[in-house]
mmCIF file of all heavy atoms in Angstrom:
data_model
loop_
_atom_site.group_PDB
_atom_site.id
_atom_site.type_symbol
_atom_site.label_atom_id
_atom_site.label_comp_id
_atom_site.label_asym_id
_atom_site.label_seq_id
_atom_site.Cartn_x
_atom_site.Cartn_y
_atom_site.Cartn_z
ATOM 1 N N TYR A 1 2.593 8.345 -33.539
ATOM 2 C CA TYR A 1 1.829 7.172 -33.973
ATOM 3 C C TYR A 1 0.550 7.579 -34.678
ATOM 4 O O TYR A 1 0.103 6.902 -35.607
ATOM 5 C CB TYR A 1 1.564 6.228 -32.796
ATOM 6 C CG TYR A 1 2.758 5.362 -32.518
ATOM 7 C CD1 TYR A 1 3.651 5.674 -31.504
ATOM 8 C CD2 TYR A 1 3.027 4.246 -33.307
ATOM 9 C CE1 TYR A 1 4.771 4.899 -31.265
ATOM 10 C CE2 TYR A 1 4.149 3.461 -33.080
ATOM 11 C CZ TYR A 1 5.011 3.783 -32.069
ATOM 12 O OH TYR A 1 6.111 3.019 -31.859
ATOM 13 N N ILE A 2 -0.058 8.686 -34.267
ATOM 14 C CA ILE A 2 -1.230 9.187 -34.974
ATOM 15 C C ILE A 2 -0.861 9.555 -36.408
ATOM 16 O O ILE A 2 -1.540 9.178 -37.361
ATOM 17 C CB ILE A 2 -1.863 10.384 -34.229
ATOM 18 C CG1 ILE A 2 -2.499 9.903 -32.925
ATOM 19 C CG2 ILE A 2 -2.869 11.126 -35.113
ATOM 20 C CD1 ILE A 2 -2.909 11.017 -31.984
ATOM 21 N N LEU A 3 0.256 10.271 -36.572
ATOM 22 C CA LEU A 3 0.668 10.701 -37.898
ATOM 23 C C LEU A 3 1.045 9.547 -38.801
ATOM 24 O O LEU A 3 0.662 9.507 -39.971
ATOM 25 C CB LEU A 3 1.835 11.691 -37.798
ATOM 26 C CG LEU A 3 1.492 13.069 -37.270
ATOM 27 C CD1 LEU A 3 2.770 13.917 -37.156
ATOM 28 C CD2 LEU A 3 0.477 13.769 -38.147
ATOM 29 N N ILE A 4 1.809 8.590 -38.281
ATOM 30 C CA ILE A 4 2.279 7.490 -39.154
ATOM 31 C C ILE A 4 1.129 6.545 -39.536
ATOM 32 O O ILE A 4 1.296 5.769 -40.480
ATOM 33 C CB ILE A 4 3.462 6.715 -38.532
ATOM 34 C CG1 ILE A 4 3.090 6.020 -37.244
ATOM 35 C CG2 ILE A 4 4.649 7.616 -38.361
ATOM 36 C CD1 ILE A 4 4.206 5.205 -36.612
ATOM 37 N N ASN A 5 0.012 6.658 -38.867
ATOM 38 C CA ASN A 5 -1.146 5.856 -39.239
ATOM 39 C C ASN A 5 -2.134 6.587 -40.147
ATOM 40 O O ASN A 5 -3.144 6.022 -40.538
ATOM 41 C CB ASN A 5 -1.856 5.338 -37.991
ATOM 42 C CG ASN A 5 -1.080 4.204 -37.348
ATOM 43 O OD1 ASN A 5 -0.811 3.201 -37.982
ATOM 44 N ND2 ASN A 5 -0.685 4.383 -36.113
ATOM 45 N N ARG A 6 -1.824 7.819 -40.503
ATOM 46 C CA ARG A 6 -2.676 8.578 -41.416
ATOM 47 C C ARG A 6 -2.542 8.028 -42.832
ATOM 48 O O ARG A 6 -1.486 7.508 -43.214
ATOM 49 C CB ARG A 6 -2.272 10.058 -41.427
ATOM 50 C CG ARG A 6 -2.684 10.791 -40.186
ATOM 51 C CD ARG A 6 -2.208 12.199 -40.125
ATOM 52 N NE ARG A 6 -2.248 12.908 -41.404
ATOM 53 C CZ ARG A 6 -2.267 14.221 -41.519
ATOM 54 N NH1 ARG A 6 -2.210 14.978 -40.441
ATOM 55 N NH2 ARG A 6 -2.292 14.788 -42.705
ATOM 56 N N ARG A 7 -3.591 8.165 -43.607
ATOM 57 C CA ARG A 7 -3.577 7.668 -44.985
ATOM 58 C C ARG A 7 -2.575 8.393 -45.867
ATOM 59 O O ARG A 7 -2.065 7.829 -46.825
ATOM 60 C CB ARG A 7 -4.959 7.788 -45.607
ATOM 61 C CG ARG A 7 -5.949 6.815 -45.046
ATOM 62 C CD ARG A 7 -7.281 6.957 -45.733
ATOM 63 N NE ARG A 7 -8.199 6.020 -45.124
ATOM 64 C CZ ARG A 7 -9.260 5.560 -45.728
ATOM 65 N NH1 ARG A 7 -9.554 5.952 -46.944
ATOM 66 N NH2 ARG A 7 -10.048 4.698 -45.124
ATOM 67 N N ASP A 8 -2.289 9.664 -45.542
ATOM 68 C CA ASP A 8 -1.374 10.432 -46.377
ATOM 69 C C ASP A 8 0.097 10.273 -45.981
ATOM 70 O O ASP A 8 0.978 10.800 -46.633
ATOM 71 C CB ASP A 8 -1.760 11.922 -46.404
ATOM 72 C CG ASP A 8 -1.586 12.610 -45.057
ATOM 73 O OD1 ASP A 8 -1.515 11.934 -44.020
ATOM 74 O OD2 ASP A 8 -1.557 13.850 -45.059
ATOM 75 N N PHE A 9 0.368 9.530 -44.918
ATOM 76 C CA PHE A 9 1.756 9.267 -44.526
ATOM 77 C C PHE A 9 2.300 8.135 -45.395
ATOM 78 O O PHE A 9 1.578 7.215 -45.739
ATOM 79 C CB PHE A 9 1.846 8.895 -43.031
ATOM 80 C CG PHE A 9 3.219 9.086 -42.477
ATOM 81 C CD1 PHE A 9 3.650 10.341 -42.070
ATOM 82 C CD2 PHE A 9 4.099 8.021 -42.374
ATOM 83 C CE1 PHE A 9 4.928 10.529 -41.563
ATOM 84 C CE2 PHE A 9 5.368 8.196 -41.870
ATOM 85 C CZ PHE A 9 5.794 9.450 -41.467
ATOM 86 N N PRO A 10 3.579 8.212 -45.770
ATOM 87 C CA PRO A 10 4.142 7.155 -46.623
ATOM 88 C C PRO A 10 3.982 5.759 -46.011
ATOM 89 O O PRO A 10 4.024 5.601 -44.785
ATOM 90 C CB PRO A 10 5.621 7.514 -46.718
ATOM 91 C CG PRO A 10 5.726 8.922 -46.267
ATOM 92 C CD PRO A 10 4.564 9.209 -45.386
ATOM 93 N N ALA A 11 3.834 4.796 -46.866
ATOM 94 C CA ALA A 11 3.772 3.400 -46.418
ATOM 95 C C ALA A 11 5.150 2.987 -45.906
ATOM 96 O O ALA A 11 6.170 3.434 -46.445
ATOM 97 C CB ALA A 11 3.350 2.485 -47.548
ATOM 98 N N PRO A 12 5.190 2.165 -44.875
ATOM 99 C CA PRO A 12 6.509 1.703 -44.385
ATOM 100 C C PRO A 12 7.211 0.871 -45.449
ATOM 101 O O PRO A 12 6.575 0.193 -46.257
ATOM 102 C CB PRO A 12 6.168 0.857 -43.161
ATOM 103 C CG PRO A 12 4.698 0.650 -43.166
ATOM 104 C CD PRO A 12 4.087 1.616 -44.106
ATOM 105 N N THR A 13 8.509 0.951 -45.422
ATOM 106 C CA THR A 13 9.338 0.164 -46.344
ATOM 107 C C THR A 13 9.394 -1.289 -45.917
ATOM 108 O O THR A 13 9.432 -2.184 -46.740
ATOM 109 C CB THR A 13 10.758 0.751 -46.392
ATOM 110 O OG1 THR A 13 10.650 2.097 -46.896
ATOM 111 C CG2 THR A 13 11.672 -0.031 -47.287
ATOM 112 N N ALA A 14 9.410 -1.508 -44.607
ATOM 113 C CA ALA A 14 9.473 -2.866 -44.057
ATOM 114 C C ALA A 14 8.872 -2.874 -42.665
ATOM 115 O O ALA A 14 8.786 -1.842 -41.997
ATOM 116 C CB ALA A 14 10.920 -3.355 -43.989
ATOM 117 N N THR A 15 8.452 -4.058 -42.245
ATOM 118 C CA THR A 15 7.972 -4.257 -40.893
ATOM 119 C C THR A 15 8.889 -5.274 -40.231
ATOM 120 O O THR A 15 9.059 -6.380 -40.712
ATOM 121 C CB THR A 15 6.520 -4.757 -40.899
ATOM 122 O OG1 THR A 15 5.704 -3.791 -41.546
ATOM 123 C CG2 THR A 15 6.015 -4.959 -39.482
ATOM 124 N N LEU A 16 9.504 -4.844 -39.136
ATOM 125 C CA LEU A 16 10.418 -5.687 -38.380
ATOM 126 C C LEU A 16 9.768 -6.020 -37.039
ATOM 127 O O LEU A 16 8.709 -5.478 -36.712
ATOM 128 C CB LEU A 16 11.734 -4.943 -38.141
ATOM 129 C CG LEU A 16 12.402 -4.353 -39.388
ATOM 130 C CD1 LEU A 16 13.607 -3.514 -38.981
ATOM 131 C CD2 LEU A 16 12.814 -5.446 -40.345
ATOM 132 N N LYS A 17 10.399 -6.856 -36.249
ATOM 133 C CA LYS A 17 9.858 -7.153 -34.923
ATOM 134 C C LYS A 17 9.731 -5.903 -34.075
ATOM 135 O O LYS A 17 8.830 -5.778 -33.268
ATOM 136 C CB LYS A 17 10.734 -8.183 -34.212
ATOM 137 C CG LYS A 17 10.557 -9.574 -34.733
ATOM 138 C CD LYS A 17 11.343 -10.563 -33.899
ATOM 139 C CE LYS A 17 11.115 -11.965 -34.427
ATOM 140 N NZ LYS A 17 11.815 -12.954 -33.599
ATOM 141 N N MET A 18 10.655 -4.945 -34.270
ATOM 142 C CA MET A 18 10.619 -3.707 -33.488
ATOM 143 C C MET A 18 9.569 -2.730 -34.004
ATOM 144 O O MET A 18 9.267 -1.741 -33.354
ATOM 145 C CB MET A 18 11.984 -3.024 -33.442
ATOM 146 C CG MET A 18 12.625 -2.695 -34.784
ATOM 147 S SD MET A 18 11.970 -1.365 -35.800
ATOM 148 C CE MET A 18 12.301 0.054 -34.838
ATOM 149 N N GLY A 19 9.018 -2.989 -35.167
ATOM 150 C CA GLY A 19 8.002 -2.122 -35.739
ATOM 151 C C GLY A 19 8.296 -1.760 -37.180
ATOM 152 O O GLY A 19 9.182 -2.331 -37.810
ATOM 153 N N ASN A 20 7.546 -0.817 -37.692
ATOM 154 C CA ASN A 20 7.706 -0.386 -39.076
ATOM 155 C C ASN A 20 8.909 0.516 -39.230
ATOM 156 O O ASN A 20 9.310 1.218 -38.298
ATOM 157 C CB ASN A 20 6.461 0.389 -39.534
ATOM 158 C CG ASN A 20 5.247 -0.499 -39.636
ATOM 159 O OD1 ASN A 20 5.336 -1.678 -39.917
ATOM 160 N ND2 ASN A 20 4.075 0.077 -39.399
ATOM 161 N N VAL A 21 9.490 0.500 -40.427
ATOM 162 C CA VAL A 21 10.569 1.414 -40.786
ATOM 163 C C VAL A 21 10.230 2.050 -42.124
ATOM 164 O O VAL A 21 9.592 1.431 -42.980
ATOM 165 C CB VAL A 21 11.948 0.738 -40.828
ATOM 166 C CG1 VAL A 21 12.401 0.343 -39.443
ATOM 167 C CG2 VAL A 21 11.964 -0.453 -41.755
ATOM 168 N N TRP A 22 10.655 3.300 -42.276
ATOM 169 C CA TRP A 22 10.409 4.070 -43.475
ATOM 170 C C TRP A 22 11.720 4.535 -44.069
ATOM 171 O O TRP A 22 12.701 4.733 -43.332
ATOM 172 C CB TRP A 22 9.580 5.311 -43.141
ATOM 173 C CG TRP A 22 8.185 5.039 -42.734
ATOM 174 C CD1 TRP A 22 7.072 5.121 -43.521
ATOM 175 C CD2 TRP A 22 7.707 4.637 -41.439
ATOM 176 N NE1 TRP A 22 5.949 4.794 -42.802
ATOM 177 C CE2 TRP A 22 6.315 4.494 -41.515
ATOM 178 C CE3 TRP A 22 8.328 4.389 -40.225
ATOM 179 C CZ2 TRP A 22 5.531 4.121 -40.433
ATOM 180 C CZ3 TRP A 22 7.554 4.006 -39.155
ATOM 181 C CH2 TRP A 22 6.167 3.876 -39.253
ATOM 182 N N LEU A 23 11.739 4.734 -45.380
ATOM 183 C CA LEU A 23 12.881 5.379 -45.981
ATOM 184 C C LEU A 23 12.900 6.831 -45.532
ATOM 185 O O LEU A 23 11.869 7.517 -45.540
ATOM 186 C CB LEU A 23 12.781 5.351 -47.506
ATOM 187 C CG LEU A 23 12.981 4.006 -48.194
ATOM 188 C CD1 LEU A 23 12.716 4.146 -49.672
ATOM 189 C CD2 LEU A 23 14.390 3.481 -47.933
ATOM 190 N N LYS A 24 14.053 7.303 -45.118
ATOM 191 C CA LYS A 24 14.169 8.686 -44.665
ATOM 192 C C LYS A 24 13.725 9.644 -45.775
ATOM 193 O O LYS A 24 13.073 10.650 -45.511
ATOM 194 C CB LYS A 24 15.601 8.998 -44.241
ATOM 195 C CG LYS A 24 15.763 10.394 -43.706
ATOM 196 C CD LYS A 24 17.165 10.671 -43.208
ATOM 197 C CE LYS A 24 17.247 12.097 -42.669
ATOM 198 N NZ LYS A 24 18.585 12.417 -42.189
ATOM 199 N N SER A 25 14.061 9.322 -47.019
ATOM 200 C CA SER A 25 13.675 10.197 -48.135
ATOM 201 C C SER A 25 12.167 10.309 -48.270
ATOM 202 O O SER A 25 11.646 11.387 -48.590
ATOM 203 C CB SER A 25 14.303 9.698 -49.436
ATOM 204 O OG SER A 25 13.881 8.373 -49.709
ATOM 205 N N ASP A 26 11.438 9.218 -48.012
ATOM 206 C CA ASP A 26 9.963 9.270 -48.057
ATOM 207 C C ASP A 26 9.417 10.150 -46.954
ATOM 208 O O ASP A 26 8.481 10.940 -47.167
ATOM 209 C CB ASP A 26 9.363 7.870 -47.945
ATOM 210 C CG ASP A 26 9.589 7.005 -49.178
ATOM 211 O OD1 ASP A 26 10.006 7.539 -50.221
ATOM 212 O OD2 ASP A 26 9.356 5.785 -49.070
ATOM 213 N N VAL A 27 9.981 10.013 -45.762
ATOM 214 C CA VAL A 27 9.518 10.818 -44.618
ATOM 215 C C VAL A 27 9.833 12.288 -44.863
ATOM 216 O O VAL A 27 8.989 13.157 -44.638
ATOM 217 C CB VAL A 27 10.146 10.331 -43.296
ATOM 218 C CG1 VAL A 27 9.773 11.252 -42.142
ATOM 219 C CG2 VAL A 27 9.705 8.897 -42.995
ATOM 220 N N GLU A 28 11.027 12.575 -45.367
ATOM 221 C CA GLU A 28 11.414 13.971 -45.635
ATOM 222 C C GLU A 28 10.544 14.576 -46.718
ATOM 223 O O GLU A 28 10.196 15.760 -46.658
ATOM 224 C CB GLU A 28 12.896 14.063 -45.985
ATOM 225 C CG GLU A 28 13.824 13.780 -44.814
ATOM 226 C CD GLU A 28 13.699 14.764 -43.657
ATOM 227 O OE1 GLU A 28 13.295 15.918 -43.878
ATOM 228 O OE2 GLU A 28 14.017 14.385 -42.518
ATOM 229 N N ALA A 29 10.158 13.784 -47.737
ATOM 230 C CA ALA A 29 9.260 14.291 -48.780
ATOM 231 C C ALA A 29 7.894 14.625 -48.193
ATOM 232 O O ALA A 29 7.288 15.637 -48.537
ATOM 233 C CB ALA A 29 9.125 13.261 -49.905
ATOM 234 N N TRP A 30 7.408 13.780 -47.269
ATOM 235 C CA TRP A 30 6.135 14.040 -46.593
ATOM 236 C C TRP A 30 6.237 15.325 -45.772
ATOM 237 O O TRP A 30 5.343 16.161 -45.782
ATOM 238 C CB TRP A 30 5.742 12.860 -45.718
ATOM 239 C CG TRP A 30 4.422 13.021 -45.032
ATOM 240 C CD1 TRP A 30 3.201 12.704 -45.534
ATOM 241 C CD2 TRP A 30 4.185 13.562 -43.727
ATOM 242 N NE1 TRP A 30 2.225 12.999 -44.614
ATOM 243 C CE2 TRP A 30 2.796 13.522 -43.499
ATOM 244 C CE3 TRP A 30 5.020 14.064 -42.735
ATOM 245 C CZ2 TRP A 30 2.222 13.983 -42.316
ATOM 246 C CZ3 TRP A 30 4.442 14.520 -41.552
ATOM 247 C CH2 TRP A 30 3.065 14.481 -41.356
ATOM 248 N N ILE A 31 7.348 15.489 -45.060
ATOM 249 C CA ILE A 31 7.547 16.701 -44.256
ATOM 250 C C ILE A 31 7.570 17.919 -45.164
ATOM 251 O O ILE A 31 6.959 18.950 -44.851
ATOM 252 C CB ILE A 31 8.851 16.600 -43.426
ATOM 253 C CG1 ILE A 31 8.683 15.555 -42.318
ATOM 254 C CG2 ILE A 31 9.242 17.958 -42.834
ATOM 255 C CD1 ILE A 31 9.955 15.178 -41.586
ATOM 256 N N ALA A 32 8.258 17.839 -46.292
ATOM 257 C CA ALA A 32 8.334 18.975 -47.225
ATOM 258 C C ALA A 32 6.950 19.384 -47.708
ATOM 259 O O ALA A 32 6.668 20.574 -47.878
ATOM 260 C CB ALA A 32 9.216 18.611 -48.411
ATOM 261 N N GLU A 33 6.066 18.404 -47.898
ATOM 262 C CA GLU A 33 4.722 18.693 -48.377
ATOM 263 C C GLU A 33 3.783 19.139 -47.254
ATOM 264 O O GLU A 33 3.020 20.102 -47.413
ATOM 265 C CB GLU A 33 4.131 17.457 -49.051
ATOM 266 C CG GLU A 33 2.741 17.674 -49.588
ATOM 267 C CD GLU A 33 2.147 16.428 -50.218
ATOM 268 O OE1 GLU A 33 2.900 15.499 -50.566
ATOM 269 O OE2 GLU A 33 0.911 16.391 -50.347
ATOM 270 N N LYS A 34 3.826 18.459 -46.123
ATOM 271 C CA LYS A 34 2.837 18.686 -45.060
ATOM 272 C C LYS A 34 3.319 19.581 -43.936
ATOM 273 O O LYS A 34 2.502 20.190 -43.228
ATOM 274 C CB LYS A 34 2.420 17.340 -44.450
ATOM 275 C CG LYS A 34 1.885 16.343 -45.445
ATOM 276 C CD LYS A 34 0.565 16.794 -46.012
ATOM 277 C CE LYS A 34 0.021 15.726 -46.953
ATOM 278 N NZ LYS A 34 -1.255 16.097 -47.509
ATOM 279 N N ARG A 35 4.621 19.654 -43.708
ATOM 280 C CA ARG A 35 5.185 20.436 -42.594
ATOM 281 C C ARG A 35 6.413 21.217 -43.066
ATOM 282 O O ARG A 35 7.498 21.090 -42.505
ATOM 283 C CB ARG A 35 5.596 19.510 -41.437
ATOM 284 C CG ARG A 35 4.545 18.560 -40.907
ATOM 285 C CD ARG A 35 3.513 19.300 -40.086
ATOM 286 N NE ARG A 35 2.656 18.428 -39.305
ATOM 287 C CZ ARG A 35 1.593 17.804 -39.759
ATOM 288 N NH1 ARG A 35 1.237 17.910 -41.022
ATOM 289 N NH2 ARG A 35 0.837 17.050 -38.974
ATOM 290 N N PRO A 36 6.264 22.041 -44.105
ATOM 291 C CA PRO A 36 7.443 22.700 -44.681
ATOM 292 C C PRO A 36 8.202 23.601 -43.698
ATOM 293 O O PRO A 36 9.402 23.818 -43.877
ATOM 294 C CB PRO A 36 6.869 23.511 -45.857
ATOM 295 C CG PRO A 36 5.413 23.636 -45.558
ATOM 296 C CD PRO A 36 5.029 22.421 -44.764
ATOM 297 N N HIS A 37 7.540 24.089 -42.681
ATOM 298 C CA HIS A 37 8.229 24.916 -41.687
ATOM 299 C C HIS A 37 9.316 24.160 -40.943
ATOM 300 O O HIS A 37 10.206 24.767 -40.364
ATOM 301 C CB HIS A 37 7.224 25.507 -40.707
ATOM 302 C CG HIS A 37 6.500 24.485 -39.886
ATOM 303 N ND1 HIS A 37 5.456 23.736 -40.384
ATOM 304 C CD2 HIS A 37 6.724 24.056 -38.619
ATOM 305 C CE1 HIS A 37 5.045 22.893 -39.442
ATOM 306 N NE2 HIS A 37 5.787 23.078 -38.365
ATOM 307 N N LEU A 38 9.299 22.834 -40.989
ATOM 308 C CA LEU A 38 10.301 22.023 -40.304
ATOM 309 C C LEU A 38 11.565 21.816 -41.138
ATOM 310 O O LEU A 38 12.570 21.340 -40.638
ATOM 311 C CB LEU A 38 9.724 20.671 -39.911
ATOM 312 C CG LEU A 38 8.612 20.714 -38.864
ATOM 313 C CD1 LEU A 38 8.041 19.321 -38.638
ATOM 314 C CD2 LEU A 38 9.115 21.292 -37.564
ATOM 315 N N LEU A 39 11.524 22.172 -42.411
ATOM 316 C CA LEU A 39 12.692 21.954 -43.270
ATOM 317 C C LEU A 39 13.868 22.807 -42.845
ATOM 318 O O LEU A 39 14.998 22.369 -42.927
ATOM 319 C CB LEU A 39 12.339 22.259 -44.730
ATOM 320 C CG LEU A 39 11.346 21.301 -45.372
ATOM 321 C CD1 LEU A 39 11.045 21.744 -46.792
ATOM 322 C CD2 LEU A 39 11.858 19.877 -45.360
ATOM 323 N N GLU A 40 13.631 24.000 -42.379
ATOM 324 C CA GLU A 40 14.712 24.888 -41.964
ATOM 325 C C GLU A 40 15.511 24.345 -40.809
ATOM 326 O O GLU A 40 16.689 24.594 -40.691
ATOM 327 C CB GLU A 40 14.140 26.249 -41.591
ATOM 328 C CG GLU A 40 13.478 26.958 -42.753
ATOM 329 C CD GLU A 40 12.776 28.230 -42.327
ATOM 330 O OE1 GLU A 40 12.865 28.609 -41.154
ATOM 331 O OE2 GLU A 40 12.132 28.843 -43.186
ATOM 332 N N SER A 41 14.872 23.521 -39.957
ATOM 333 C CA SER A 41 15.574 22.994 -38.791
ATOM 334 C C SER A 41 16.318 21.704 -39.075
ATOM 335 O O SER A 41 16.971 21.151 -38.214
ATOM 336 C CB SER A 41 14.569 22.765 -37.654
ATOM 337 O OG SER A 41 13.676 21.717 -37.998
ATOM 338 N N ASP A 42 16.251 21.220 -40.322
ATOM 339 C CA ASP A 42 16.932 19.973 -40.669
ATOM 340 C C ASP A 42 18.347 20.255 -41.125
ATOM 341 O O ASP A 42 18.622 20.475 -42.272
ATOM 342 C CB ASP A 42 16.150 19.235 -41.775
ATOM 343 C CG ASP A 42 16.749 17.863 -42.074
ATOM 344 O OD1 ASP A 42 17.457 17.311 -41.222
ATOM 345 O OD2 ASP A 42 16.473 17.352 -43.171
ATOM 346 N N GLU A 43 19.302 20.262 -40.172
ATOM 347 C CA GLU A 43 20.672 20.579 -40.467
ATOM 348 C C GLU A 43 21.534 19.353 -40.713
ATOM 349 O O GLU A 43 22.640 19.443 -41.193
ATOM 350 C CB GLU A 43 21.281 21.403 -39.326
ATOM 351 C CG GLU A 43 20.623 22.750 -39.161
ATOM 352 C CD GLU A 43 20.765 23.639 -40.395
ATOM 353 O OE1 GLU A 43 21.824 23.600 -41.024
ATOM 354 O OE2 GLU A 43 19.817 24.375 -40.706
ATOM 355 N N GLU A 44 21.046 18.151 -40.334
ATOM 356 C CA GLU A 44 21.854 16.944 -40.531
ATOM 357 C C GLU A 44 21.553 16.346 -41.885
ATOM 358 O O GLU A 44 20.486 16.457 -42.418
ATOM 359 C CB GLU A 44 21.620 15.931 -39.413
ATOM 360 C CG GLU A 44 20.210 15.390 -39.364
ATOM 361 C CD GLU A 44 20.043 14.390 -38.252
ATOM 362 O OE1 GLU A 44 20.903 13.517 -38.111
ATOM 363 O OE2 GLU A 44 19.064 14.492 -37.524
#
């Protein structure tokens, strides 16, 4: 929740009753830029 509220985190695509949702591609692009060491563990 701290990370998703940062200014540099992608804006949510939609807000539902259960909360915000993001496009996976937007989140993965953020990870590639800010946490590139996590890309190797993304096997799915």
